[in-house]
Amino acid sequence: MTDFRMPRFEVPFPVECNPHLERASRSMWRWIDAHGLAPTGRACARMLRTRADLSGAYVWPRADLATLTTGLQWLALTFRIDDQLDEDDLTERLSARVAAVDELCDVLRGLSEPGTSPVARALAGLWSQTSRGRPTGWCEAFLRDFQAFLRSYATEARLSSLGAVPHLDTYLGWRMHSVGMPWLWDLDELRLPAPLPDSVRTCGAMSKLRRAGALHIALVNDVFSVRRETLVGYPYNAVTIVRDTSGCSLQEAVDRVAALAGTHLQAVVAARRELRHELDRRALPPPVHVAALDYASNIAANLRGQLVWHSSVQRYAIDDLHTADRSASYPDDLLTP
């Protein structure tokens, strides 16, 4: 049974959507076509149902056109990776998933050439474009967060090979990275008038804010995606884990996960308050102080924006799974035999 009543998520932050969405969306699709990332009708349909462009407009509502366009390219690429590693691999080639992740991480670090995979080649070019002229501290922070996102797929593949179901706390330890928000927020720094010093980016209050915000969005995602993920046999979802480890009903599990999301929402509110006090104590230059508060405000707005996105798109609908053809959405060019 996959039926349940959707809980009401209360997020007391304003909705912000980037006014450059339409132009950036056209650029994103030209980039997708140029790199061969959605070369079939089925692949295009999956990307259209995902609305990576709309998600990005809620992630970077204050970005200029160029920054938003770069962000949308990253999102389109990572949704493609997510679909291929989580959903398209119907034959459970777990070692191939780990190898694909290793290859992408090596490409990011410049340790190997991207080879023939359109995904790896697009990743290499996009990182070269994004990192050019950026401070070393920011580049290292982005690489850490993006590699943690990629490594989460390898973690899940290894657990699948063991038939292991993680404890909820263990799952949340990597879920904050697999949802992708930390590296998305790293990209948000590119629009700020003053770069964030490493000491501000990694301070206690900012770390709490980023973790709580990422987990709120991750738990909302798990509720919206649990129907589809149950049908495709994907087990790494907070709702599924709560249901299976506690023996409760699906509805009870959904309600518990929604309540946990509410706890992280309150942690976001508290962390923003703590951050303001911490910035005041540091006596930072005014441009840095303003930039840090702007960045934190954007994270809060993302909680509301991502809730709107989840409620608006067909990415997690299940109608396309009720057909006789359950073949992969994308060409099988990332996982090697």
Side-chain angles (χ1 to χ4, degrees):
M1 287 289 292
T2 60
D3 291 333
F4 61 88
R5 182 186 66 259
M6 182 65 67
R8 184 178 179 85
F9 293 98
E10 299 289 348
V11 180
F13 304 128
V15 178
E16 297 184 35
C17 188
N18 196 296
H20 302 299
L21 169 58
E22 185 175 347
R23 292 177 63 190
S25 177
R26 290 197 296 268
S27 295
M28 179 194 79
W29 277 102
R30 286 195 296 269
W31 183 81
I32 289 171
D33 291 341
H35 288 81
L37 296 176
T40 67
R42 192 182 184 101
C44 283
R46 184 68 177 136
M47 191 68 76
L48 284 167
R49 290 166 71 93
T50 293
R51 287 301 311 273
D53 49 356
L54 182 61
S55 178
Y58 288 125
V59 173
W60 304 291
R62 306 171 187 182
D64 61 23
L65 176 60
T67 304
L68 177 62
T69 299
T70 297
L72 296 194
Q73 292 169 357
W74 279 101
L75 268 177
L77 183 64
T78 50
F79 277 122
R80 161 83 186 260
I81 293 170
D82 184 74
D83 282 333
Q84 287 197 275
L85 297 187
D86 275 353
E87 189 169 295
D88 281 5
D89 183 23
L90 302 177
T91 57
E92 293 285 297
R93 291 168 293 172
L94 301 177
S95 61
R97 293 188 202 177
V98 175
V101 167
D102 287 343
E103 177 193 6
L104 295 177
C105 289
D106 286 348
V107 166
L108 273 175
R109 287 288 183 182
L111 301 177
S112 70
E113 294 298 318
T116 60
S117 165
V119 173
R121 294 172 70 87
L123 177 64
L126 188 54
W127 176 234
S128 175
Q129 166 197 321
T130 305
S131 60
R132 191 174 301 120
R134 304 297 178 189
T136 300
W138 180 87
C139 290
E140 288 299 318
F142 179 89
L143 285 174
R144 281 194 302 271
D145 289 332
F146 197 82
Q147 287 185 113
F149 162 75
L150 291 174
R151 294 290 183 198
S152 69
Y153 294 101
T155 297
E156 292 174 4
R158 293 188 181 100
L159 286 172
S160 292
S161 69
L162 299 172
V165 177
H167 187 275
L168 182 62
D169 287 343
T170 302
Y171 166 74
L172 295 179
W174 85 73
R175 184 66 175 115
M176 69 164 289
H177 298 292
S178 69
V179 73
M181 299 313 299
W183 67 262
L184 294 172
W185 290 331
D186 293 336
L187 287 178
D188 189 55
E189 286 191 45
L190 303 185
R191 68 170 178 86
L192 297 175
L196 295 182
D198 292 343
S199 59
V200 172
R201 186 185 298 114
T202 62
C203 74
M206 189 69 83
S207 296
K208 292 176 186 177
L209 174 62
R210 283 164 53 96
R211 182 180 187 277
L215 285 175
H216 180 276
I217 292 170
L219 293 169
V220 168
N221 176 269
D222 282 2
V223 170
F224 275 87
S225 65
V226 70
R227 286 192 183 96
R228 186 179 184 93
E229 291 180 345
T230 298
L231 289 173
V232 301
Y234 176 73
Y236 302 110
N237 182 298
V239 176
T240 305
I241 291 170
V242 169
R243 183 196 62 190
D244 293 348
T245 56
S246 67
C248 66
S249 69
L250 178 62
Q251 184 65 62
E252 290 171 323
V254 165
D255 292 341
R256 291 185 193 180
V257 170
L260 183 57
T263 299
H264 288 294
L265 170 64
Q266 294 308 312
V268 166
V269 174
R272 288 183 71 193
R273 186 166 52 244
E274 182 182 338
L275 179 64
R276 285 193 290 270
H277 294 321
E278 188 160 342
L279 294 175
D280 288 340
R281 286 197 303 272
R282 289 172 179 247
L284 297 165
V288 174
H289 191 283
V290 170
L293 291 179
D294 186 356
Y295 176 81
S297 174
N298 184 80
I299 291 176
N302 276 195
L303 270 64
R304 182 73 179 279
Q306 288 305 299
L307 180 58
V308 173
W309 175 75
H310 278 87
S311 304
S312 305
V313 302
Q314 293 296 305
R315 175 169 176 78
Y316 304 107
I318 60 175
D319 57 301
D320 60 326
L321 299 178
H322 292 159
T323 62
D325 179 14
R326 279 295 311 280
S327 59
S329 295
Y330 293 94
D332 193 15
D333 53 18
L334 181 59
L335 297 172
T336 56

